[in-house]
Amino acid sequence: MFFTGKGGVGKTSLSAAAAVALAGKGQRVLLVSTDPASNLAEVLGTPVGRSPQHVDGVPGLDVLDIDPNAAAAAYRDRIVDPIRGVLPETIVSGIEEQLSGACTVEIAAFDEFTALLADPEATAEYDHVVFDTAPTGHTLRLLALPAAWTGFLDTNTAGTTCIGPLSGLTQAQDRYRVALDALANPATTTLVLVTRPDSGAINEADRARAELEVLGLTNEYLLINGVFTAENREDPTARAFEARHREALQMLPASLAGLRHETLPLLSGAPIGPKALSDLLEGHSPEGVAADDFAAASTSLAEIADDVARRGHGLVITMGKGGVGKTTIAAALAVDLAERGLPVTLTTTDPAAHLHDTLGEGETWPSGLLVERVDPNVVTAAYVADVLATAGADLDEAGRAVLEEDLRSPCTEEIAVFKAFAATVAGATDRIVVLDTAPTGHTMLLLDAAESYSREVRRLQDQTPSDVSELLGRLRDPEFTSVLLVTLPEPTPVHEASALQGDLARAGIQPAAWVVNQSLSATGTTDPTLASRAKHETRWLREIRDNHPLVAVVAWQPKSPTGPHSLLSLVDSTRQSVALAR
């Protein structure tokens, strides 16, 4: 069973709940995370490692985390250890450098993923294997990789790839084919599309459905998580909450409505631990908490926009777990800045980009706003053409054939996207660039790639473009780059943002502020379920204030903040809320 969907829809909670439920029926179950930003350990309330570990209190349930970085380290050791002391150190160092990029991280994690699918011995003791996957765009890429690498290996004759010697991959080629067959077999594999009663999440689930079917994965099941029914009909927030859910469900595409599906109610708090997960599928909420009047706001989106406008140029990056509202916050700031007459580019590196949905199709955007997207297909084609025109210009026919073969590797797309990311950052020298990034784990892979990919670009293009060589310096400059950590007032998004802040610090990058989005405590709701969720927020707001002195709290909005007018109102409302908090 693969659980996939937009970030923040509850994939981890539901996959863990399904695994707990199956184990409760006497089945042997293995629960696996393929998300670089996995939070299974927090949801289960138990340590999770790279080998199957038993979950206390749940007989029959084991859990493991495919840690991409640890997998990459093990992959490098398998390639490099046999040649240490045999080949000159300069050659060994060169191979280690070649294996230091995000391409290696991806293929190493993919290698472990396919082993679970293709090796009967790996899962022989289990009745079920449940996968908690990364947000949709990255899951689709993972599921497409067996076909991509199988096709590449079928045609590669050069003996090398961007991730090292081809022999290491060729040995796994049969396993990749078996994995692809397993994924497409409806008798053994079920794709669980998880969504919320929200138009953006529903649209993404439908896009995922279509792309999965193109890959031959047709055995799909739909879970609509977090459907709210108001208890206090006098509460305007509760009425608006229910109305938004009802309207979204009424617009459910026929292609999704035709799938086997069920709905689950909105809970009064996040389910943590086996007992709460067991209750989740029964629609029971976790225990409530005491009231607290703590106010966390110390800045606002409006004040953040004021600071960026003062500089007149530079980069604003929204980062955080999938589903926390990075795109909404990025779009709101971009529209506000463009309305001031400033030149603004709004762009995204997220494979599941939906900027146009947020800005409103058919709406009139500010004249100074330019909307772009780092489209992997477009930037890859441009990158390949550039390499062939430069590094391939003076090659003979045989050499050019080897280069073309190297460029057919699926890793080429990663390098091309990285170069486009560097160019996007460079574009902020004479205008304001607001960058909506992919979910946390993949964002960090992109940032970690700054130095390793520059070496790979140099290998294929003889020199490192200034956009690439100056990237880290620009990201580290607080007068050039403002990193906003966007979160929800919930445990997993907060802890993930805290870990991201630590990762950024090690890279020499300091966030400008935290943005806590969709806060119910800022609405004054009195509905029992919503008020309980609001009380649960206090603990996480306190934790955020302990992490950073500048925190902007954005209230949950009665109407989905789409279109320029709503996005402008979102920024303006935060100026008032921070004044009240002070």
Side-chain angles (χ1 to χ4, degrees), residues 222-313:
L222 179 68
L223 275 179
I224 305 172
N225 188 33
V227 179
F228 174 71
T229 302
E231 295 177 64
N232 182 355
R233 309 302 303 182
E234 303 303 315
D235 180 9
T237 299
R239 292 199 308 271
F241 215 102
E242 182 181 299
R244 279 180 57 177
H245 285 193
R246 183 174 60 249
E247 290 166 8
L249 292 176
Q250 288 172 347
M251 299 298 291
L252 193 71
S255 51
L256 287 180
L259 298 177
R260 294 171 296 155
H261 67 275
E262 64 179 288
T263 63
L264 291 168
L266 182 73
L267 304 182
S268 63
I272 302 294
K275 174 64 168 61
L277 291 169
S278 180
D279 290 343
L280 168 60
L281 295 184
E282 302 297 326
H284 301 316
S285 291
E287 294 181 4
V289 295
D292 193 320
D293 294 329
F294 174 76
S298 59
T299 188
S300 67
L301 287 184
E303 290 173 319
I304 292 170
D306 290 345
D307 186 57
V308 176
R310 173 188 58 79
R311 298 199 303 259
H313 73 283

Side-chain angles (χ1 to χ4, degrees), residues 287-576:
E287 294 181 4
V289 295
D292 193 320
D293 294 329
F294 174 76
S298 59
T299 188
S300 67
L301 287 184
E303 290 173 319
I304 292 170
D306 290 345
D307 186 57
V308 176
R310 173 188 58 79
R311 298 199 303 259
H313 73 283
L315 179 69
V316 179
I317 307 181
T318 56
M319 295 184 180
K321 179 177 168 61
V324 297
K326 295 185 300 296
T327 302
T328 297
I329 299 302
L333 289 170
V335 169
D336 180 85
L337 292 163
E339 277 290 323
R340 303 178 192 216
L342 296 164
V344 180
T345 297
L346 174 62
T347 187
T348 183
T349 63
D350 194 337
H354 47 279
L355 283 178
H356 284 76
D357 293 342
T358 302
L359 288 166
E361 292 286 1
E363 298 269 4
T364 301
W365 304 342
S367 58
L369 180 62
L370 176 64
V371 181
E372 297 178 344
R373 178 196 170 200
V374 178
D375 185 313
N377 294 325
V378 173
V379 299
T380 301
Y383 172 69
V384 169
D386 189 34
V387 171
L388 291 174
T390 52
D394 299 323
L395 296 177
D396 58 22
E397 184 176 347
R400 189 174 176 86
V402 170
L403 179 60
E404 289 175 344
E405 200 164 84
D406 194 3
L407 290 170
R408 285 197 294 272
S409 159
C411 293
T412 296
E413 179 182 306
E414 297 288 339
I415 300 167
V417 169
F418 166 73
K419 277 197 69 184
F421 169 70
T424 296
V425 173
T429 55
D430 58 1
R431 63 190 292 116
I432 297 170
V433 175
V434 182
L435 177 61
D436 168 37
T437 67
T440 312
H442 300 280
T443 299
M444 286 313 301
L445 288 181
L446 195 64
L447 295 179
D448 287 344
E451 291 175 295
S452 58
Y453 269 165
S454 67
R455 291 190 292 266
E456 181 66 13
V457 170
R458 187 167 58 247
R459 179 179 77 88
L460 292 172
Q461 295 186 303
D462 299 325
Q463 60 182 356
T464 304
S466 61
D467 292 354
V468 173
S469 61
E470 297 173 12
L471 175 60
L472 274 179
R474 287 170 171 149
L475 293 175
R476 289 168 175 161
D477 181 0
E479 281 298 308
F480 185 89
T481 299
S482 295
V483 174
L484 304 180
L485 296 183
V486 185
T487 186
L488 300 177
E490 299 173 4
T492 298
V494 168
H495 292 163
E496 193 159 312
S498 295
L500 175 57
Q501 181 167 276
D503 289 336
L504 290 170
R506 285 188 289 276
I509 301 169
Q510 296 297 326
W514 283 56
V515 178
V516 183
N517 196 26
Q518 299 178 29
S519 170
L520 285 167
S521 59
T523 68
T525 180
T526 57
D527 181 89
T529 297
L530 300 185
S532 177
R533 292 181 71 89
K535 292 174 185 176
H536 277 276
E537 292 180 3
T538 304
R539 173 182 173 184
W540 314 117
L541 291 172
R542 287 187 183 279
E543 187 170 313
I544 291 166
R545 281 297 296 271
D546 290 341
N547 271 276
H548 203 283
L550 290 179
V551 182
V553 176
V554 180
W556 180 88
Q557 302 296 302
K559 290 188 177 181
S560 179
T562 58
H565 178 72
S566 295
L567 292 168
L568 276 173
S569 298
L570 186 67
V571 176
D572 290 339
S573 67
T574 64
R575 192 186 301 276
Q576 181 180 4

